[in-house]
Amino acid sequence: MGALVSSEQEETDRRPAAFQTLYTAGHRVELAATKLGPGLPGFQAYHTSVAVDDIEYAFSGEGIVVNRNLQSHRHLPDAPQMQVIYMGLTSLSGEELLKYLKIFFKRGTYDLLRKNCNSFSDCALFFLLDSRLDQNLRGLEQLGHMADKRAGVVQGITGGDYRPNPQADGFSVERTVSEINKLKSAKFGMK
């Protein structure tokens, strides 16, 4: 499957939270990824979440949900094959993650293709570690979004069960990462 994080980052002059743990204790960050369905050649759907000090943070229709034991993955058929990857240490806590990301990931704004668990995990990794979620974990949803946007393919395949959530209109992971970058510079003085 390859690396689960991307090294592509926005240029910034602030000091990443991960580097602020060199001389002080940090918070352990892990990424959990579980396959969803059989996938297509070169494309696989995933459910992802982020854990900080063994507390899981995931995004759903309820907004950001907080669990123990990676609970958001446990009901999935491929849960026994879930991958949990150590991502690093950060000076930012899970409570800070929740406080600042709930601004962007509110209850009722979830959309299967445009604003989902992977969008959240990507933004959470950036908030905590200045890392990004590997695009391989988002390939099928991005393909689905483009196909549905142009021809209503996903709506057709699901028999109309998928309906774009108007609450997710205008959401952009890249724009949100940019806002998180500004927020971290202003709130935490990470320069």
Side-chain angles (χ1 to χ4, degrees):
M1 173 167 74
L4 294 181
V5 291
S6 172
S7 60
E8 292 180 25
Q9 295 180 13
E10 183 175 298
E11 288 296 316
T12 180
D13 64 345
R14 69 175 170 72
R15 188 175 188 199
F19 292 117
Q20 295 192 22
T21 62
L22 291 176
Y23 302 105
T24 60
H27 300 279
R28 179 182 177 87
V29 178
E30 295 174 312
L31 173 70
T34 303
K35 287 182 179 181
L36 298 173
L40 300 170
F43 294 98
Q44 175 66 54
Y46 289 88
H47 168 62
T48 63
S49 64
V50 172
V52 180
D53 296 331
D54 297 321
I55 303 295
E56 178 189 34
Y57 298 87
F59 182 60
S60 73
E62 300 300 313
I64 300 173
V65 292
V66 181
N67 300 303
R68 290 198 169 277
N69 302 318
L70 301 170
Q71 195 65 38
S72 74
H73 296 259
R74 300 291 175 204
H75 71 283
L76 301 172
D78 286 334
Q81 289 79 42
M82 170 180 39
Q83 296 180 47
V84 180
I85 296 90
Y86 171 76
M87 301 302 296
L89 295 174
T90 182
S91 62
L92 300 170
S93 69
E95 291 82 12
E96 289 168 316
L97 172 73
L98 182 61
K99 178 180 177 180
Y100 291 104
L101 262 60
K102 71 180 181 183
I103 297 165
F104 305 105
F105 293 92
K106 296 177 180 174
R107 179 186 192 131
T109 64
Y110 181 92
D111 184 278
L112 180 66
L113 299 177
R114 300 178 299 151
K115 187 178 182 184
N116 56 35
C117 61
N118 299 321
S119 308
F120 171 77
S121 293
D122 194 3
C123 292
L125 288 173
F126 185 78
F127 179 82
L128 294 166
L129 298 168
D130 289 280
S131 293
R132 300 292 303 274
L133 188 67
D134 188 302
Q135 290 301 304
N136 290 330
L137 296 174
R138 304 194 70 198
L140 189 60
E141 77 197 53
Q142 290 174 340
L143 176 67
H145 173 59
M146 293 307 293
D148 200 66
K149 185 176 177 181
R150 298 200 191 317
V153 172
V154 176
Q155 291 180 48
I157 291 171
T158 63
D161 286 344
Y162 170 71
R163 297 253 190 247
N165 182 350
Q167 299 267 347
D169 288 351
F171 176 79
S172 159
V173 171
E174 297 310 317
R175 200 168 32 250
T176 304
V177 164
S178 179
E179 290 300 314
I180 291 168
N181 191 41
K182 292 174 193 171
L183 180 130
K184 285 175 69 173
S185 295
K187 298 280 185 190
F188 302 106
M190 295 179 175
K191 294 197 176 203

